[in-house]
Amino acid sequence: MLGYLASAPLLALALILTLGFAVGRIRLGGLSLGSAAILFVAIAVSTAEPGIRMPPLLYQLGLALFVYCIGLAAGPAFFRTLRSRGLALNLVIVGALAALTGLAAVLIRVSGADPVTGAGMFAGAVSSTPGMAAILDAVPELLPPGADPARATDAVVGYSLAYPGGVLGIILVAAVGYRLLKVDHQADARAAGVLPEPLHYACIRIGPGRDLTVAEVPDYTGARVITTRLALGEGADADQRLAEPEDRLRPGRVILVNGTAAAIEAATAALGERSEMALDAADLRFVRMAVSNPEVAGRTIAELRTLEEHGFTIARLRRGDADVVPTGADRLQLADRVRVVAPRQRIDAIRDYLGDSEKSLASPDLLPLALGLAIGLGLGAIPIPLPGGSSLALGFGGGPILAGLVLGALGRTGPVRWQLPYHATRTLEAAGMALFMAGVGTSAGAGFREALTDPASLRYIGLGLVLTVVAAVAVVAAVMAWRGLSFDEAIGVAAGLSTNPAVIAYLNSASGTDLSARGYTTVYPVAMVGKILAAQGLIMLLL
């Protein structure tokens, strides 16, 4: 059977993916390998039959697709946070990677470990599959003349030996930290403002000295509230209608605002006082709709106010599992679900405007995807000169993620809409990772067979675990001391350094909040690119 699979690589790929996804669902102690199981299944199959190998183009395409989709998804939030708190946290990540690369080089040389296997061990310790791919790409050019270029696959062996410790090491640091620091997850999340709060509404009478428009209310009050109705006059017979962004709010006017309880209190203090006047909200509807209109996607909520007829407001924005009160700077993406506040008679027109079509979301335009990948791969092929006449390149992992980050943040360039629907992006991301794991895993069978019988393999496992724990502890200590982060967010930053979804899944489950996820997403893109460069730099130091 295995001999036949060696002559039928497509069937072998299908079976590896099937077994990998099945094994990845097995949970032990609340943890599962996820898509990483595909790598271990592929290694096991190729160890049993070294003739089962996938062409390099397969894993190169898979990795490029995976990281490009990650960049698309993370781009908007990355550049938004980089202008504020994200800059400091990402500086910590850059410093940690530089120090960790130096430490890895020292440990590998002192321990007498094989340089290529050791470099792969480093990639596994920081859970960097693109970093491992960068090593595979760089090794043949760095080896001395006459050396066997197949030695590059030893990096996959080192990666696979260190990878489990790369996951468990951070989880161990988190579990010990929770116990030693007696972390109150809910209190920390509440203080950081990441716990979702229900929306309320209240009537506010504009006080003396205030003269502003409806659109200026959030900035004027410093509160994330939405003005939905206003009264044009006094008393029970006052004319009431939906608020328009350009409506001017002068002293004595009464408005109906929506927001959290704290936001409404802040808005009331800034604008005037609570009013007992009952603005009729009976004709208002709160309806969830999906953004599927290409002309809407890629634009900010503030930009939409100049395009529509100002007949509705957006009270909530849901992307994936994140549900937030939006601001004018939030850029809508295909498949976003928005909570629309509008009169009952306008719901159908608004649905037509936003799209709200699952069918169209299931048929995304793939031309921007192909163009974005081409830009990223071209960027990755550009050599970056280094002192001494050598050079490195971002490769088919680093180039696409940089392109994805920039294009994802832009949203659209003229008629080209770079963003794909949320579910399409996640599906392509998962498919790309699966192809990469299957392709690269089958290249390491022979080397892994030798590693299983070599006691020296324990050295790579131990070194990898040391690097993982040192990195996690150092990052947590640095961001807690320098930036005053809570432990939950700090361990999320450490998880962002690993970029491992299994780690953040554990942290989210253990804490019951999204505070760790906030730290994770803030540094994820820089960590992803930084580890590619660190892996390349390490192998250049070692060879």
Side-chain angles (χ1 to χ4, degrees):
M1 179 63 180
L2 290 176
Y4 174 73
L5 290 178
S7 63
L10 189 59
L11 176 58
L13 173 63
L15 290 176
I16 289 171
L17 293 176
T18 300
L19 289 173
F21 284 125
V23 173
R25 291 185 176 186
I26 300 173
R27 303 185 69 85
L28 295 174
L31 296 175
S32 63
L33 285 173
S35 60
I38 298 172
L39 174 67
F40 293 103
V41 169
I43 289 175
V45 170
S46 63
T47 298
E49 174 49 73
I52 299 177
R53 294 177 67 104
M54 302 298 157
L57 180 63
L58 179 73
Y59 72 75
Q60 292 171 0
L61 172 63
L63 181 66
L65 190 61
F66 167 65
V67 297
Y68 178 72
C69 289
I70 282 179
L72 280 183
F78 170 68
F79 285 103
R80 186 168 60 248
T81 59
L82 194 61
R83 293 192 292 266
S84 55
R85 60 190 295 279
L87 179 59
L89 297 183
N90 281 296
L91 286 175
V92 172
I93 292 300
V94 171
L97 281 174
L100 200 63
T101 303
L103 176 61
V106 171
L107 291 177
I108 291 169
R109 289 200 181 278
V110 169
S111 66
D114 174 69
V116 178
T117 310
M121 173 274 298
F122 169 79
V126 293
S127 300
S128 177
T129 46
M132 177 182 62
I135 296 169
L136 289 173
D137 194 38
V139 166
E141 297 182 5
L142 297 173
L143 290 173
D148 184 5
R151 277 194 60 199
T153 59
D154 290 344
V156 183
V157 176
Y159 177 92
S160 59
L161 290 171
Y163 180 89
V167 176
L168 296 176
I170 299 180
I171 291 174
L172 177 64
V173 172
V176 172
Y178 290 152
R179 181 175 294 273
L180 289 180
L181 299 179
K182 297 180 172 59
V183 177
D184 188 333
H185 305 295
Q186 295 296 315
D188 288 343
R190 192 175 299 108
V194 300
L195 282 182
E197 298 183 52
L199 287 176
H200 302 276
Y201 65 88
C203 292
I204 301 175
R205 185 179 301 279
I206 306 299
R210 280 77 164 180
D211 188 1
L212 67 158
T213 65
V214 166
E216 294 169 340
V217 167
D219 290 336
Y220 183 86
T221 62
R224 302 182 71 176
V225 294
I226 296 174
T227 305
T228 54
R229 295 189 71 78
L230 60 83
L232 304 178
E234 300 289 339
D237 297 330
D239 182 25
Q240 303 177 22
R241 65 171 173 81
L242 196 70
E244 307 283 3
E246 67 274 10
D247 284 332
R248 188 153 293 279
L249 304 178
R250 296 186 173 86
R253 281 198 167 178
V254 178
I255 59 174
L256 181 70
V257 299
N258 297 74
T260 64
I264 288 176
E265 288 302 320
T268 302
L271 294 174
E273 60 183 8
R274 286 287 184 97
S275 171
E276 298 300 324
M277 181 178 179
L279 288 184
D280 184 13
D283 64 333
L284 286 181
R285 291 292 180 269
F286 296 77
V287 182
R288 287 277 189 184
M289 298 183 186
V291 176
S292 64
N293 182 356
E295 296 304 317
V296 172
R299 301 186 186 275
T300 66
I301 292 175
E303 290 171 341
L304 290 181
R305 290 175 177 172
T306 66
L307 298 175
E308 56 175 314
E309 297 177 1
H310 311 301
F312 70 98
T313 55
I314 296 176
R316 287 279 189 181
L317 171 62
R318 185 174 182 86
R319 182 173 300 149
D321 291 334
D323 200 359
V324 299
V325 177
T327 66
D330 284 313
R331 193 176 298 276
L332 294 180
Q333 299 179 14
L334 290 171
D336 282 352
R337 295 192 64 82
V338 294
R339 189 182 185 191
V340 168
V341 183
R344 176 173 46 195
Q345 65 271 20
R346 299 214 58 194
I347 293 298
D348 289 340
I350 296 167
R351 181 170 281 113
D352 289 340
Y353 177 71
L354 294 177
D356 199 29
S357 169
E358 295 294 336
K359 181 178 180 180
S360 64
L361 290 173
S363 304
D365 181 8
L366 296 181
L367 174 60
L369 172 69
L371 178 58
L373 273 177
I375 293 172
L377 291 170
L379 184 64
I382 299 174
I384 303 172
L386 295 175
S390 59
S391 65
L392 59 79
L394 293 175
F396 49 84
I401 194 173
L402 279 183
L405 285 170
V406 174
L407 299 178
L410 289 175
R412 61 191 298 154
T413 305
V416 180
R417 291 170 292 276
W418 300 108
Q419 286 287 357
L420 295 168
Y422 176 84
H423 297 94
T425 303
R426 293 305 185 192
T427 300
L428 289 171
E429 178 186 320
M433 173 55 87
L435 291 176
F436 172 74
M437 291 293 194
V440 78
T442 58
S443 68
F448 198 78
R449 177 185 292 176
E450 295 179 9
L452 290 177
T453 58
D454 186 357
S457 296
L458 296 175
R459 171 172 39 186
Y460 298 104
I461 296 173
L463 290 176
L465 186 59
V466 168
L467 289 175
T468 299
V469 172
V470 167
V473 172
V475 168
V476 168
V479 296
M480 289 183 72
W482 183 34
R483 306 303 299 174
L485 267 60
S486 66
F487 181 80
D488 269 341
E489 189 166 6
I491 194 65
V493 174
L497 175 62
S498 80
T499 62
N500 194 298
V503 175
I504 193 60
Y506 166 80
L507 297 179
N508 288 341
S509 175
S511 67
T513 74
D514 290 331
L515 190 51
S516 294
R518 186 168 78 169
Y520 180 87
T521 55
T522 299
V523 302
Y524 186 102
V526 166
M528 181 73 77
V529 176
K531 288 189 295 185
I532 295 171
L533 298 177
Q536 284 187 317
L538 177 62
I539 194 62
M540 294 176 72
L541 286 173
L542 295 174
L543 289 181

